[in-house]
Amino acid sequence: GTPQKYDPTFKGPIYDRGCTDVICCVLLVIAIVGYVVVGVVAWTHGDPRKVIYPTDSRGQFCGQQGTPNEYVPLPAPGVLRRARLPAALLLLGKAPVCGVPAEGADAFTRGPAVSSSLIQICVSKCPDRYLTYLNAHRSGTPGELEYYRHFCIPEFKNLQKAPIKVLQDKECPAMIIPSTPLARRCFPAIRAKKGVIMVGNETTYDDGHGRRRNVTELLEGAKKANVVLETRQLAMKIFEDYTVSWYWIIIGLVIAMVASFIFIVLLRFLAGIMVWVMIVMVILVLGYGIFHCYMEYAKLKGEAGSDVSLKDLGFQTDLRVYLHLRQTWLAFMIILCIVEVVIILLLIFLRKRILIAIALIKEASRAVGHIMMSLLFPLCTFFLLCLCITYWASTAVFLSTSNEAVYKVFNETACQFSGQTCQPETFNTSNITKLCPDAQCLFAFYGGETAYHKYLIVLQFFNVFMFFWLANFVIALGQVTLAGAFASYYWAFKKPDDMPAFPLFSAFGRALRYHTGSLAFGSLILAIVQVIRVTLEYLDHRLKAADNRFAKFLLSCLKCCFWCLEKFIKFLNRNAYIMIAVYGTNFCTSARNAFFLLMRNIIRVAVLDKVTDFLFFLGKLLIVGSVGILAFFFFTQRIKLVQDTAPPLNYYWVPILTVIVGSYLIAHGFFSVYGMCVDTLFLCFLEDLERNDGSAEKPYFMSPNLKKLLKKTNKGQPDA
């Protein structure tokens, strides 16, 4: 591209600008309206209770208001009462297994009723004893049979019916076992006593068909219940730790915030020292590596087998074998010498560009100091991103739970209607029960046959796409706002006197008023690439079980290509947004101008990028490491001065990890602002060099330090 020419009217971010990429702005508005419509439709049809609460074999919630199972019979004969959390009991054909409710009542679900031998029933509480239906019927005690009836289907009323017929009709389970409530489901009450697995103080049980079974057969079905129970206990202990340490965690995060701010301020004075210390350390480490390789090479002289060549030795799985060869250490020494020479030559030829990068970093620290509100702006971006995530997650849940209950015909013997859709209300009066006497109409899954249900997958895809588009738009809005504010600092001839009163709010207003379309355009391109990447990850997950190497290879290549493409688009968008903030041009023009400007200064770009990456890495490591170590010594009560102040904890790693993660996020937020400032000042600096020559008509806007480094001066005018 051709260098920018001098424009006498340009004095920094242009205020007299027009709207850009209006078509994309209109598309974004239409898409948002459609997204709201999808959300309303999903919230109208969806029911998140399908994810949270269990259902019986008819797809009806257990113990929820407004459902047929809102009232559940209690074991006491003839007494009814409203149950808070009715439980469901899963009855499995021959050997029924009881599951677990929370307090009161729930559902035991071991999956949807996709088999003829699977029935789920809502009960008021889990069984507390071993009992088979045959024994309950033979006992002659009304109380036993009445107790058992509460674990049968609601329609079962005839206690005088033959037991064999009751079991054949699947009206009652063949047996019940002692169970405990967990996650609104009934699971076997398994416990270990002196290393022996027991259920209800028994090691064997009657399966209801005259056979004795070992309780270990129930263990597999209860493994997941134990995991859930242990997870719940762990969650409760973690919650307790947070309740007693939350204010100390906040103090730790405040310390991280102060440390991040101090580090950014100190970069104005210490950036050069840190960069040169890092360079010297790299040279010294490489020098020591060369020395160590030479010493190992000399030590192996004369030892048996050390003179064997790498070619003669061939490939060895034990890599330690190569360390006993002189040729290996000679190769290491040559490689390190080449790297050392290359770095020294780069330092000799690029020393001026390194000094420019350091000066820009120092200037960025001054810019942030003059626009302190910029450090708080990431909170606005974070809040908007939280809104996007919340809307996307709630819409996804409502869409996934907006299916209707589908009932299928299940039977033991051959039947032509098996697997067909049925309606429980009319099933008993249909011809199916006449042709297939053992057939039952049971809840199978949640689905639907309407147009809305057929296109649910399309709506879910649209939901994911809109999430990426809006999230990228929010990030773009933050970048353009910060770029506009920092550009107003650079292009102020007398800093900070010539800066506008509220640079951050002015830049935010310009971005929303004039460039919503351009931000929508850039974020749309990035969202398309990200959706393709998500699709490829999904396909890769589905193909893991397949044995198609070509497909896996092709998918890996595509994932790599789109990963690189996403990184490039993010880089291009970031610099395009800076040009939009400064000049008010549309997205394509800004992206083109930014790209060619950077390509004309590719070495400066590479040097500045690596120097800033190092400083940001060092800053994050220093802040997170320091705060993390301080939190470790405090919460483990190793600081004697505040030993009695530290709260007692179940797991001291809970607040420590919280402080570390929080410190990283805070440091990342501060450095993201600082990084945007460096990038903006860098592009403005390059533009300044191309547009101006230091004459009275075309003075430089760069800082005195940069002019001194470049040996530039403003003729006839005092420096800024």
Side-chain angles (χ1 to χ4, degrees):
T2 57
Q4 296 290 337
K5 295 181 179 179
Y6 173 68
D7 181 4
T9 62
F10 179 75
K11 300 296 180 183
I14 296 173
Y15 292 91
D16 186 16
R17 57 178 74 194
C19 296
T20 56
D21 298 308
V22 178
I23 295 177
C24 291
C25 180
V26 174
L27 287 177
L28 178 64
V29 173
I30 294 174
I32 291 176
V33 172
Y35 198 21
V36 172
V37 171
V38 170
V40 171
V41 172
W43 297 338
T44 303
H45 291 80
D47 190 351
R49 293 183 302 174
K50 296 174 183 177
V51 179
I52 302 172
Y53 298 105
T55 58
D56 62 10
S57 295
R58 299 176 182 179
Q60 298 168 345
F61 295 108
C62 296
Q64 294 303 298
Q65 293 184 3
T67 64
N69 295 322
E70 180 177 356
Y71 293 91
V72 180
L74 290 174
V79 179
L80 291 176
R81 130 180 133 165
R82 186 170 183 166
R84 293 181 181 176
L85 297 168
L89 178 65
L90 178 63
L91 313 179
L92 300 174
K94 296 181 179 179
V97 180
C98 299
V100 179
E103 343 168 20
D106 275 354
F108 165 26
T109 53
R110 191 165 166 153
V114 292
S115 162
S116 60
S117 60
L118 196 67
I119 299 176
Q120 295 166 203
I121 301 172
C122 294
V123 296
S124 60
K125 68 177 184 180
C126 298
D128 57 7
R129 68 193 75 172
Y130 281 107
L131 191 61
T132 65
Y133 185 77
L134 290 175
N135 290 339
H137 192 272
R138 290 170 183 168
S139 66
T141 306
E144 287 284 301
L145 196 56
E146 183 64 27
Y147 173 79
Y148 206 100
R149 186 177 68 83
H150 296 295
F151 304 104
C152 301
I153 62 175
E155 292 78 9
F156 178 67
K157 304 293 183 184
N158 187 7
L159 299 179
Q160 304 303 319
K161 189 175 181 179
I164 300 300
K165 185 64 175 174
V166 171
L167 297 179
Q168 286 179 346
D169 294 341
K170 296 186 178 62
E171 294 177 311
C172 292
M175 58 156 290
I176 56 175
I177 62 175
S179 304
T180 55
L182 178 65
R184 298 186 175 93
R185 288 157 177 84
C186 295
F187 286 91
I190 297 176
R191 63 187 184 90
K193 186 176 182 180
K194 295 182 180 180
V196 179
I197 302 298
M198 306 178 70
V199 176
N201 296 322
E202 299 287 342
T203 57
T204 61
Y205 66 95
D206 188 339
D207 66 358
H209 296 272
R211 293 189 298 272
R212 300 292 298 181
R213 295 177 179 265
N214 197 297
V215 295
T216 55
E217 297 181 24
L218 303 174
L219 188 60
E220 188 65 31
K223 277 184 178 179
K224 291 184 179 180
N226 292 333
V227 171
V228 173
L229 183 60
E230 292 173 0
T231 303
R232 188 166 68 175
Q233 292 174 348
L234 176 64
M236 290 300 297
K237 289 183 178 180
I238 291 176
F239 180 75
E240 290 175 3
D241 288 343
Y242 278 126
T243 57
V244 297
S245 63
W246 63 270
Y247 46 92
W248 294 110
I249 292 175
I250 293 176
I251 292 174
L253 298 181
V254 170
I255 293 174
M257 187 180 302
V258 174
S260 300
F261 176 75
I262 293 175
F263 186 85
I264 288 177
V265 172
L266 290 179
L267 280 178
R268 185 186 309 183
F269 311 101
L270 302 178
I273 296 174
M274 284 191 272
V275 171
W276 288 115
V277 167
M278 178 267 295
I279 292 172
V280 171
M281 289 298 296
V282 169
I283 293 175
L284 290 177
V285 168
L286 288 174
Y288 174 77
I290 295 170
F291 172 75
H292 181 76
C293 291
Y294 174 76
M295 294 301 295
E296 291 291 335
Y297 175 77
K299 188 169 62 175
L300 290 173
K301 185 178 180 179
E303 289 193 12
S306 62
D307 292 325
V308 178
S309 66
L310 293 172
K311 183 178 180 181
D312 294 337
L313 183 63
F315 177 75
Q316 301 291 325
T317 55
D318 188 1
L319 299 180
R320 291 174 296 181
V321 174
Y322 296 104
L323 299 180
H324 297 282
L325 302 180
R326 299 187 72 206
Q327 200 174 83
T328 301
W329 293 105
L330 179 63
F332 285 160
M333 186 169 60
I334 293 173
I335 293 172
L336 290 177
C337 286
I338 293 173
V339 173
E340 181 92 334
V341 171
V342 169
I343 290 177
I344 293 174
L345 290 175
L346 286 174
L347 289 174
I348 293 173
F349 291 104
L350 299 178
R351 66 187 186 282
K352 190 173 182 179
R353 289 178 171 83
I354 294 174
L355 291 173
I356 292 173
I358 293 172
L360 280 170
I361 290 169
K362 292 180 178 179
E363 193 65 20
S365 182
R366 294 189 186 94
V368 172
H370 288 300
I371 311 174
M372 294 295 295
M373 285 298 296
S374 62
L375 294 175
L376 299 178
F377 189 77
L379 295 176
C380 177
T381 303
F382 177 75
F383 174 73
L384 293 176
L385 284 175
C386 288
L387 287 182
C388 293
I389 294 172
T390 302
Y391 188 87
W392 162 76
S394 59
T395 302
V397 170
F398 276 91
L399 282 173
S400 61
T401 58
S402 58
N403 288 313
E404 299 173 347
V406 175
Y407 300 87
K408 297 283 186 179
V409 176
F410 295 104
N411 59 285
E412 292 285 353
T413 59
C415 178
Q416 58 181 331
F417 302 103
S418 180
Q420 292 186 6
T421 306
C422 59
Q423 294 296 328
E425 296 81 8
T426 60
F427 182 75
N428 291 331
T429 59
S430 64
N431 293 330
I432 299 178
T433 54
K434 298 177 182 178
L435 298 175
C436 304
D438 64 338
Q440 291 180 298
C441 183
L442 300 177
F443 167 72
F445 55 85
Y446 287 107
E449 304 295 332
T450 64
Y452 169 75
H453 294 101
K454 290 180 180 178
Y455 289 101
L456 270 178
I457 186 66
V458 177
L459 296 179
Q460 285 281 26
F461 182 84
F462 178 72
N463 183 34
V464 173
F465 171 75
M466 285 302 301
F467 165 71
F468 281 116
W469 193 1
L470 293 177
N472 289 322
F473 178 83
V474 169
I475 295 173
L477 179 61
Q479 291 177 342
V480 168
T481 301
L482 292 173
F486 294 128
S488 66
Y489 167 83
Y490 185 92
W491 294 109
F493 190 74
K494 294 182 179 179
K495 302 174 177 61
D497 297 338
D498 292 345
M499 290 176 59
F502 302 101
L504 193 68
F505 294 108
S506 299
F508 183 74
R510 289 196 302 270
L512 279 182
R513 182 177 177 183
Y514 298 110
H515 305 302
T516 300
S518 297
L519 302 184
F521 191 8
S523 55
L524 174 63
I525 296 172
L526 185 57
I528 292 172
V529 175
Q530 289 174 334
V531 168
I532 293 174
R533 286 197 63 204
V534 170
T535 305
L536 292 175
E537 291 291 344
Y538 173 76
L539 293 176
D540 184 44
H541 178 72
R542 295 298 298 268
L543 286 175
K544 277 185 178 178
D547 190 21
N548 190 331
R549 293 186 178 180
F550 175 76
K552 291 182 178 179
F553 171 76
L554 181 62
L555 203 59
S556 298
C557 292
L558 288 174
K559 286 167 61 179
C560 179
C561 291
F562 278 97
W563 179 84
C564 295
L565 180 61
E566 181 185 359
K567 294 296 181 184
F568 174 74
I569 290 176
K570 283 183 176 180
F571 171 78
L572 189 63
N573 282 7
R574 183 182 180 90
N575 291 283
Y577 294 148
I578 296 174
M579 302 299 276
I580 290 172
V582 177
Y583 298 105
T585 52
N586 61 48
F587 177 80
C588 292
T589 302
S590 301
R592 182 192 62 204
N593 292 339
F595 179 75
F596 286 126
L597 179 63
L598 294 173
M599 289 301 102
R600 291 194 296 269
N601 300 272
I602 186 64
I603 297 178
R604 284 174 174 166
V605 172
V607 172
L608 180 72
D609 184 59
K610 296 308 173 187
V611 170
T612 52
D613 282 349
F614 162 73
L615 287 178
F616 291 166
F617 169 76
L618 188 65
K620 291 178 182 178
L621 183 65
L622 183 64
I623 293 166
V624 175
S626 301
V627 177
I629 292 172
L630 180 63
F632 172 78
F633 280 101
F634 175 77
F635 287 112
T636 55
Q637 300 180 350
R638 299 189 183 187
I639 302 178
K640 294 183 178 180
L641 292 176
V642 291
Q643 192 170 14
D644 298 332
T645 311
L649 300 168
N650 296 304
Y651 307 108
Y652 65 82
W653 53 263
V654 171
I656 294 174
L657 284 181
T658 305
V659 169
I660 290 175
V661 173
S663 300
Y664 175 80
L665 293 176
I666 291 172
H668 179 74
F670 274 84
F671 287 119
S672 65
V673 174
Y674 194 78
M676 197 68 198
C677 182
V678 172
D679 290 344
T680 302
L681 297 184
F682 181 57
L683 279 183
C684 293
F685 165 73
L686 298 179
E687 286 276 323
D688 194 10
L689 285 177
E690 291 188 352
R691 286 179 177 273
N692 305 310
D693 58 8
S695 63
E697 296 80 15
K698 297 184 286 184
Y700 290 116
F701 286 80
M702 67 185 72
S703 66
N705 289 336
L706 284 170
K707 285 202 288 282
K708 184 178 178 181
L709 279 173
L710 297 172
K711 297 180 180 179
K712 305 284 185 181
T713 57
N714 284 335
K715 301 172 184 176
Q717 292 189 23
D719 281 342

